[in-house]
Amino acid sequence: MPQTDIVILKALLNAKEAFVSGNSLANALGISRVGVWARLEKMREQGFSFEAVRHRGYRLVHEPLQLHDRLTRAYLDGNETRIKVLYEPEVDSTNSEAERQLAAGLGDPFVVLAGHQTKGRGRLGRTWHSPKDCNIYASFAFRPQMAPARMQTITLWLGLHLCDLLHRTYDLPIKLKWPNDLLVEDKKVAGMLTEARVDSDLTRDLVFGLGLNVNCRMENWPRDLQQRATTLQLASREPLRINKLAAELIGTVVEAYESFMKGGWQDELMRLWQEHDYLGGRPVKAVRGREEVEGKVIGITPDGSLQLETKSGDTVAISAGEVTVKY
Ligand code: BTN
């Protein structure tokens, strides 16, 4: 009964701390009060707590701290008509699932969310550590039908909007480390992996994958990750409402993608870069295939390449690669 649960959860979320009468829920759904009660019982088994008071109704007192597709949809609040949300408790990789759905003809835009990935993929053939039910693994799928050159800055654009969201809504000092990492206090909290299918010089399909460390405990993570990575919970010192966050991410990505496709975003890209860039002014080593360039980061070009000033005073633009900060 996904739609029934979404209607109930939406009403309880909108009421905030207040009670919602069983009668009004039953009327809105065209079911009996016992039917409402039965749905709430089912949701209790899934990690929700509801307070029930005679003659007043129900209120939501606790929500699950893991992804719950109906709760995410209830939080979407108006954005549900703008994007389809698919949820898998477990999948090999949400990027791979999004690619399969695109190949099968599913209309865009849609997002694949998963509670767990068995083969989460990172950049440069790496794996993405994807423990169960405490992080966000999301892949957004679009069919841009646009020349690949025009899509070059999409990851940067979306990543900067995600920084902006996390900064404004959660007051977290999130920075974007060019080209694909989100950092908080020098540690990686999220990675982005954009994959595209280009055909006859048009980007036909585009999948933007986001792995965001949210509420997972890191004690059992591989040692190198414990040193390099962090979670939003650690940064904000309390667990986050992951379904609310997932809905906010979805709303932000859909909105940012639409404005990107309309064009005229160049000034906004530069403004967001100034605000959320991690590398500016730092000495770095950039590796492009077998080539290595060292220099100080001085900005980005309009097409999203990283600009370095080398020791000899030359300006070099790096369009892709791996960057490490030299301390
Ligand atoms: C990186 O920093 O190397 C990029 C990591 C991207 C991970 C996300 S998790 C959701 C989506 N599915 C995947 O298999 N990878 C991306």
Side-chain angles (χ1 to χ4, degrees):
M1 304 261 199
Q3 202 49 43
T4 310
D5 291 356
I6 295 170
V7 172
I8 294 175
L9 290 170
K10 256 191 198 170
L12 294 173
L13 291 176
N14 288 340
K16 307 220 168 16
E17 310 281 281
F19 284 87
V20 178
S21 79
N23 243 349
S24 68
L25 290 173
N27 288 343
L29 288 160
I31 61 175
S32 66
R33 279 182 9 220
V34 173
V36 171
W37 173 84
R39 289 316 308 163
L40 290 169
E41 284 302 295
K42 199 90 213 140
M43 286 196 270
R44 282 193 168 109
E45 290 165 17
Q46 297 159 6
F48 290 88
S49 307
F50 305 100
E51 187 182 355
V53 173
R54 236 186 135 86
H55 304 307
R56 292 182 75 189
Y58 302 99
R59 77 188 180 104
L60 178 62
V61 288
H62 176 78
E63 60 181 68
L65 285 178
Q66 64 208 53
L67 280 183
H68 181 279
D69 62 336
R70 276 146 288 161
L71 181 58
T72 300
R73 279 177 231 206
Y75 268 120
L76 272 178
D77 193 25
N79 281 326
E80 63 269 44
T81 51
R82 295 168 82 180
I83 183 164
K84 290 185 273 294
V85 179
L86 316 184
Y87 171 77
E88 299 287 342
E90 179 178 302
V91 75
D92 51 354
S93 146
T94 52
N95 268 33
S96 304
E97 178 60 20
E99 281 152 19
R100 287 190 289 267
Q101 293 288 350
L102 282 166
L106 186 63
D108 76 331
F110 63 87
V111 55
V112 179
L113 294 173
H116 173 47
Q117 297 186 120
T118 53
K119 288 186 187 150
R121 293 193 269 120
R123 288 179 70 226
L124 309 168
R126 298 179 186 134
T127 57
W128 184 255
H129 189 59
S130 307
K132 203 172 164 173
D133 287 341
C134 48
N135 284 339
I136 291 178
Y137 315 111
S139 296
F140 295 83
F142 304 102
R143 299 184 190 270
Q145 312 294 331
M146 205 176 265
R150 301 226 5 229
M151 299 307 294
Q152 246 169 339
T153 43
I154 186 74
T155 309
L156 207 54
W157 175 252
L158 296 177
L160 287 168
H161 278 83
L162 294 176
C163 284
D164 210 47
L165 165 78
L166 294 167
H167 187 75
R168 278 186 291 103
T169 316
Y170 295 91
D171 200 21
L172 289 169
I174 306 275
K175 295 280 174 196
L176 186 138
K177 176 174 172 272
W178 187 95
N180 289 66
D181 298 347
L182 302 192
L183 307 187
V184 53
E185 285 152 6
D186 301 324
K187 291 189 167 188
K188 182 157 168 170
V189 74
M192 301 176 284
L193 178 68
T194 302
E195 296 176 308
R197 186 174 67 84
V198 177
D199 174 26
S200 308
D201 245 9
L202 282 182
T203 302
R204 303 284 177 186
D205 300 337
L206 183 110
V207 174
F208 170 73
L210 173 73
L212 177 60
N213 300 334
V214 185
N215 289 330
C216 282
R217 298 175 71 95
M218 294 178 63
E219 287 91 13
N220 299 324
W221 287 27
R223 191 167 286 262
D224 66 315
L225 278 187
Q226 289 194 28
Q227 277 154 10
R228 288 188 290 110
T230 188
T231 67
L232 292 180
Q233 167 163 0
L234 280 175
S236 55
R237 295 185 176 77
E238 57 182 2
L240 274 83
R241 283 188 279 169
I242 198 167
N243 292 283
K244 175 172 177 287
L245 175 61
E248 290 162 347
L249 294 174
I250 293 171
T252 298
V253 171
V254 174
E255 183 104 35
Y257 179 79
E258 284 174 5
S259 61
F260 185 87
M261 295 306 279
K262 276 192 201 126
W265 39 260
Q266 284 75 3
D267 290 350
E268 180 67 355
L269 180 79
M270 289 302 170
R271 188 190 71 72
L272 289 170
W273 171 263
Q274 297 298 342
E275 201 171 330
H276 302 297
D277 155 52
Y278 175 78
L279 290 175
R282 295 183 195 250
V284 299
K285 182 169 83 179
V287 181
R288 243 187 336 196
R290 289 195 182 156
E291 196 190 348
E292 282 188 5
V293 191
E294 291 194 5
K296 188 176 82 179
V297 174
I298 53 171
I300 47 167
T301 61
D303 70 0
S305 298
L306 191 71
Q307 279 184 313
L308 307 187
E309 186 182 84
T310 64
K311 255 201 187 116
S312 54
D314 295 332
T315 301
V316 181
I318 314 279
S319 60
E322 188 79 335
V323 176
T324 41
V325 177
K326 291 172 61 203
Y327 293 99

